Amino acid sequence: MSFKILAECPGTQARRGILSTPHGEINTPVFMPVGTRGSVKAMSPDEMEKLGAEIILGNTYHLFLKPGMEIMSAAGGLHKFSAWKHPILTDSGGFQVFSLSTLRKIEQDGVRFASHIDGSRFFLGPKESMQIQRILGSDIVMAFDECTPYPATYEEAEKSMKMTTRWERISREQPLDPGQQLFGIIQGSMFKDLRQQSARELVEIGFEGYAIGGLSVGEPEEMMFDCLDWTVPLLPKDKPHYLMGVGTPKQIVEAVARGIDMFDCVIPTRLGRHGSAFIADGSTIPVKAGRYAKDFTPIDESCDCYACRNFTKAYIRHLMNVGEILGIRLITIHNLHYYISLMRRIREALDTGTFSQFRAEFGK
RNA sequence: GGUGGGGUUCCCGAGUGGCUAAAGGGGGCAGACUGUAAAUCUGCUGGUUUUACCUUCGGUGGUUCGAAUCCACCCCCCACCA
C-alpha cells in the first residue's frame, strides 16, 4: 500500500494521510506547486524545499515540445534534468486539449495539436502521453483525458466523458516504470449521472489514485462542490483523491472536507507574478497597486515567510513597478508559503481532531 | 550676430483649416487570473450638472462661419556657421 491514512475527521470526509513514492513521502492533504516546463516559475528547487514543498507538477505537453523527448531521455528524466529530488506529478496533456482548444483537433485515438510555440503539428494520445511520462520519470503519472469545456450540453459531456474513459483504459494498459503510479481522471461536466458513471468505470479499471478533473473551468463554485459530493464517496477510501487545478484557499479547505487529499493550482505562482499576494483570511491584496506606495509594513504581519520577515509592501510594490525580478520572486515565495502552510495547518487540525473547527473558522 | 529646425494634453511624440479632447508609445490608475500559449491580458487616463457644454496644442493679437493647424509680432529651446 503506497497510501496510508493516519487520521480521519469525525465530522467530515477529510483524511490525513501519507503517500509513498520512489522519491519520498508526501503528507496529505497536500498542495502541489505547478512547474509546467520543469520549473516552478521564479523558484529554485532549493527554495521550494525551504518552503516545504513535497511534490511539484510538470507537464507532458510542454516538456514534449521543449526540450523534447530526446533531450529528456538523454538527461535521464525530469528529476535529474531539473535537480528536483522529491516527488513529481506530471499532467498528461489533457488540460491542453481544453486550454489550447483553438490549436487542436480531437480524433479517435488522441489529439492532433499545432504547437503553440511554432505551429508544428504533432499527435498526443493516451499511448504517447504514457510513453512521454515514462521517460520523464514522474512518480505520479496522469491518465490522458479531455478536460471538458464548460458549459457543455449533456450530449457533449457524455461524449467527452466516454472518450476520456476509453483513453484512460488505454493509458492503464501502457507500460510504466516500476514505482510509477497512474491516476485516473473523472470527467462528466456538471451532470451527476455522468460524473458517477465516470467514477465507477475508472474504479473498475483500477488506478493508484483518482483525480477529479474538468472543474474550475468557469462553473459556479457550488457546482464544483456538488461534483465532489457526487463522486468522492464512490472512490476507494484507501487511494488518494486529487482535485485537479483547484483552487482558492477556501475552495481547498472545503474540498478537503469532502475527502480530497491532493491539490494543484497555478494561482499562487501566477498571481505572484501578476502582483497579488494572499493575506491571512485567504483573500488577496494587489501589492503592485499605488495605494501601497508608502506602506512600509509587510504583506502580512502574521506571516513568517522570507518576504514578510524582511520586506515592506512599499519596497515590493516598487520592485513590481520597475519590473525587477525580485518583486515577482518575493510575492511568489509569499504565496507559495501561504498555500503550503495552509495545508500544514489543515493537516495539524486533522492530526488533533479539530478540522471541523478549523473549517468553520476559515470560512468566516 | 547669421542660417536652419523646433515649442502639442503627466512625459515622448503624430497631427498643417471643420471628420480633433487631439493617433501611437510611455507612465499612472483600476481590474482579471483556478491540471500555466500568462513576469500576461483587459479597461480607463483634461473638467463638469457626461448622447451636451467648458477648458487645452509657447504668448499676444489677427484672418475665417470655423484655427493646434493660416498671418503678424514676441518669448524660449536645439543644431550648424561666425
Side-chain angles (χ1 to χ4, degrees):
Chain A
M1 277 293 111
S2 70
F3 186 59
K4 198 161 71 185
I5 290 175
L6 304 180
E8 290 179 81
C9 173
T12 71
Q13 302 301 304
R15 322 94 70 71
R16 163 79 172 93
I18 289 188
L19 177 61
S20 299
T21 78
H23 290 88
E25 295 187 330
I26 301 153
N27 286 283
T28 67
V30 67
F31 178 76
M32 308 181 282
V34 180
T36 305
R37 300 192 293 191
S39 154
V40 176
K41 292 183 191 295
M43 295 291 104
S44 70
D46 178 60
E47 288 168 320
M48 293 306 292
E49 274 178 6
K50 283 182 182 143
L51 285 166
E54 293 188 314
I55 173 172
I56 61 173
L57 258 68
N59 188 289
T60 297
Y61 169 91
H62 299 266
L63 292 168
F64 168 76
L65 285 183
K66 272 178 186 288
M69 299 327 289
E70 194 184 328
I71 291 171
M72 286 311 310
S73 182
L78 184 54
H79 284 94
K80 281 190 187 166
F81 189 52
S82 66
W84 172 251
K85 300 192 285 278
H86 309 282
I88 292 176
L89 179 151
T90 44
D91 189 25
S92 59
F95 187 71
Q96 280 61 48
V97 181
F98 162 80
S99 67
L100 302 179
S101 60
T102 56
L103 294 172
R104 56 64 174 164
K105 188 168 187 255
I106 295 175
E107 294 177 5
Q108 179 78 260
D109 295 324
V111 183
R112 208 159 283 287
F113 279 96
S115 159
H116 72 277
I117 301 166
D118 61 7
S120 59
R121 310 301 159 102
F122 65 94
F123 184 83
L124 193 62
K127 288 181 182 170
E128 293 77 10
S129 180
M130 294 308 107
Q131 198 182 356
I132 293 166
Q133 295 184 73
R134 189 182 182 187
I135 292 169
L136 293 174
S138 37
D139 297 271
I140 299 172
V141 171
M142 297 308 298
F144 189 69
D145 69 329
E146 184 202 10
C147 176
T148 310
Y150 176 85
T153 64
Y154 186 89
E155 288 68 31
E156 288 163 349
E158 183 178 35
K159 191 180 164 203
S160 170
M161 183 272 281
K162 285 187 168 166
M163 183 180 68
T164 284
T165 304
R166 191 159 47 76
W167 286 352
E168 303 208 53
R169 204 180 294 279
I170 298 169
S171 297
R172 176 80 280 186
E173 289 163 359
Q174 305 309 306
L176 291 173
D177 282 346
Q180 284 194 303
Q181 305 183 38
L182 180 64
F183 280 29
I185 305 172
I186 297 164
Q187 291 292 343
S189 192
M190 307 305 150
F191 303 99
K192 184 178 182 182
D193 64 318
L194 296 182
R195 281 278 169 189
Q196 295 194 325
Q197 184 187 340
S198 176
R200 288 197 184 94
E201 288 176 351
L202 294 189
V203 171
E204 197 187 304
I205 296 169
F207 290 93
E208 284 76 59
Y210 296 88
I212 297 160
L215 293 177
S216 260
V217 286
E219 79 285 2
E221 194 174 74
E222 277 313 307
M223 270 189 192
M224 179 173 93
F225 296 137
D226 286 345
C227 287
L228 298 185
D229 291 333
W230 297 333
T231 51
V232 177
L234 303 181
L235 303 177
K237 276 198 145 188
D238 61 349
K239 295 284 193 266
H241 311 331
Y242 165 25
L243 177 53
M244 303 186 79
V246 174
T248 64
K250 281 184 175 131
Q251 288 170 346
I252 287 176
V253 172
E254 284 308 303
V256 166
R258 288 166 170 81
I260 299 295
D261 309 297
M262 303 165 69
F263 299 88
D264 79 278
C265 193
V266 304
I267 280 182
T269 44
R270 180 181 292 169
L271 292 201
R273 293 193 305 285
H274 295 177
S276 289
F278 283 87
I279 55 173
D281 69 358
S283 64
T284 59
I285 58 167
V287 182
K288 69 175 174 185
R291 74 191 83 140
Y292 299 115
K294 289 179 185 168
D295 187 328
F296 300 105
T297 63
I299 291 167
D300 185 342
E301 299 275 6
S302 66
C303 177
D304 61 353
C305 83
Y306 174 71
C308 288
R309 282 197 333 264
N310 295 283
F311 306 97
T312 64
K313 286 196 276 294
Y315 177 62
I316 297 172
R317 181 196 107 85
H318 163 253
L319 295 176
M320 293 302 292
N321 206 241
V322 295
E324 282 293 341
I325 307 171
L326 182 60
I328 281 173
R329 286 178 26 75
L330 291 175
I331 306 180
T332 301
I333 286 171
H334 169 82
N335 284 351
L336 284 175
H337 172 89
Y338 181 87
Y339 268 69
I340 289 167
S341 62
L342 170 66
M343 302 318 287
R344 192 177 295 127
R345 285 156 64 207
I346 290 172
R347 290 195 299 269
E348 281 166 10
L350 287 166
D351 284 334
T352 56
T354 57
F355 176 73
S356 290
Q357 215 176 313
F358 177 89
R359 178 193 184 188
E361 283 292 314
F362 199 80
K364 277 179 190 170

